[in-house]
Amino acid sequence: MTRIRSVTAAVEKLAPVGAARGYAGLDTPVFVRCRVETEDGLAGTGVTGRFLAEEVAALLSRMGEALNGEDARSIEAIRTRLTARFNPRSATGVFVSALSALDMALWDLRARALGEPLWRLLGGARTAVPCYATVGLPGYEEAELVAVCRNAIDAGFVGAKMLVAAGGRGVEEDARRVRAVRHAIGPKPLLMLDANCGMNVATARRLALMVEECDIAWFEEPVLHNDLEALATLRRATRIPIAAGQMVQSMAWFREALARGAVDWLQPNAAFCGGISATLRILALAEAHGTPVAHAGGWDIANAAVMAGHAAGGLLEMHGAQLALRSRLTEDMVPEGGLMHMPDRPGIGFAFRET
């Protein structure tokens, strides 16, 4: 593994999941795949999510031109050089999304070149990661919602997550659905709520107060824009733990979220926050503040290695809206009994079927 020969990017789309209708994440099936090849024939793969996918792919092509002939092992130097050239004012958005996919591909490449699984290269803290299932999609009527959440628990997942503030439902209906799920799965499994930044503070507080007795593990991204002051205000107003960060791209946001006491759970996602390198930094911040981490935002395969490798890594989300992804892979990781067991093969753990 030596010099970079090419960086290519492609915008791809998966089949949408019907139960995701009425959900702010309807563009979830769109993603960008990045592939880095070296002069000696090795290749690494990275992914990023759906936002401005065409623009992200175009920027990755320009990054590839800038990196032609560079040493693929120098991940930190590459990040510094690309930031100085393409993002000198530390903006987020397209640049961080592109960097996320590129950084991930470089780590995959490094692990493959060394003949090691990435999770072990990152520290090997654990050989398996407990998983929760995001199956409570808004397209389900209450009986269907209850059934899919109960099935997830029966399959061994440590918890189930359901969407609120979606599908045109009001607070009262959301609260009724939450109570129905908790009753169905019993008191022991974790139950999480996710509003996808869909509420103002007053509405989020109202829902939280209505379902506090349901022992909610966390209320994820409850307020508009992941505003830190609003998150801190809500956290003071409810006993339900607050979680956020799955698509945040600013290291300063994560620092401030911890310093200001705005969250109980931190949720970085390597496909969005700047790649494996950025996730390692965020995990270190969380560890220093004594704050637990749980992956969220899809792309379990892209986050499993870092959640297993770093001692501060936490729960892994298995998102029902990304089930179609599995058919695109030649290398995959699939949870068994609610645990994602880390593979011994070299690399990040997944690889796309080339067409």
Side-chain angles (χ1 to χ4, degrees):
M1 171 185 167
T2 52
R3 304 292 172 182
I4 294 175
R5 181 175 65 189
S6 67
V7 176
T8 56
V11 177
E12 302 195 16
K13 188 172 184 178
L14 301 169
V17 174
R21 62 187 181 274
Y23 172 28
L26 284 177
D27 50 352
T28 295
V30 179
F31 68 96
V32 179
R33 177 161 66 104
C34 175
R35 179 178 172 88
V36 178
E37 295 187 36
T38 61
E39 293 173 351
D40 53 4
L42 287 173
T45 300
V47 293
T48 189
R50 58 205 189 252
F51 307 109
L52 297 171
E54 296 288 349
E55 289 80 1
V56 170
L59 181 55
L60 277 166
S61 295
R62 291 190 62 193
M63 287 178 169
E65 295 170 3
L67 296 178
N68 188 40
E70 291 291 317
D71 190 333
R73 296 170 296 184
S74 303
I75 298 175
E76 285 291 301
I78 287 172
R79 291 174 64 88
T80 301
R81 179 179 172 187
L82 291 176
T83 300
R85 175 165 179 176
F86 295 107
N87 196 33
R89 300 297 177 93
S90 299
T92 56
V94 170
F95 174 79
V96 181
S97 293
L99 185 63
S100 299
L102 178 65
D103 180 270
M104 195 182 299
L106 290 171
W107 275 105
D108 182 30
L109 188 58
R110 174 182 286 186
R112 291 179 187 275
L114 294 173
E116 286 281 353
L118 181 58
W119 65 270
R120 188 177 295 145
L121 196 62
L122 295 176
R126 56 191 65 81
T127 60
V129 182
C131 302
Y132 69 94
T134 296
V135 292
L137 301 177
Y140 292 125
E141 296 302 323
E142 186 175 308
E144 298 172 301
L145 172 71
V146 165
V148 295
C149 290
R150 186 168 50 218
N151 289 343
I153 301 305
D154 290 344
F157 289 100
V158 300
K161 188 162 75 182
M162 58 176 290
L163 279 294
V164 295
R169 297 183 178 90
V171 171
E172 293 85 358
E173 187 174 1
D174 274 338
R176 187 179 69 243
R177 287 160 64 90
V178 172
R179 295 189 198 103
V181 171
R182 171 51 80 192
H183 178 74
I185 66 176
K188 186 175 179 180
L190 301 177
L191 176 59
M192 302 83 156
L193 311 183
D194 187 355
N196 285 290
C197 302
M199 294 177 158
N200 57 36
V201 174
T203 306
R205 180 173 58 232
R206 184 176 170 221
L207 176 61
L209 292 174
M210 292 175 73
V211 299
E212 273 188 345
E213 76 279 5
C214 293
D215 189 20
I216 305 301
W218 69 69
F219 191 175
E220 184 173 316
E221 303 207 320
V223 299
L224 299 169
H225 315 303
N226 271 327
D227 179 80
L228 288 172
E229 185 61 31
L231 286 168
T233 298
L234 180 62
R235 186 177 182 229
R236 292 191 296 266
T238 178
R239 292 178 296 166
I240 295 177
I242 302 300
Q246 64 181 26
M247 292 171 189
V248 173
Q249 298 185 307
S250 166
M251 189 67 63
W253 183 96
F254 286 100
R255 180 196 67 211
E256 290 300 303
L258 293 166
R260 294 171 62 173
V263 296
D264 298 279
W265 288 81
L266 212 56
Q267 296 179 301
N269 188 319
F272 300 100
C273 71
I276 300 296
S277 298
T279 307
L280 291 171
R281 289 170 165 84
I282 295 163
L283 287 173
L285 278 173
E287 186 175 31
H289 284 79
T291 300
V293 171
H295 154 253
W299 292 110
D300 52 273
I301 54 175
N303 287 271
V306 69
M307 289 295 152
H310 197 286
L315 299 175
L316 192 69
E317 177 192 53
M318 302 299 297
H319 204 302
Q322 285 197 327
L323 293 177
L325 179 67
R326 260 56 196 185
S327 65
R328 296 282 290 106
L329 302 174
T330 57
E331 295 178 3
D332 194 6
M333 295 174 285
V334 179
E336 297 178 5
L339 283 175
M340 181 76 85
H341 295 275
M342 295 297 103
D344 283 328
R345 60 178 176 267
I348 193 171
F350 73 93
F352 283 89
R353 192 181 312 280
E354 296 302 323
T355 56

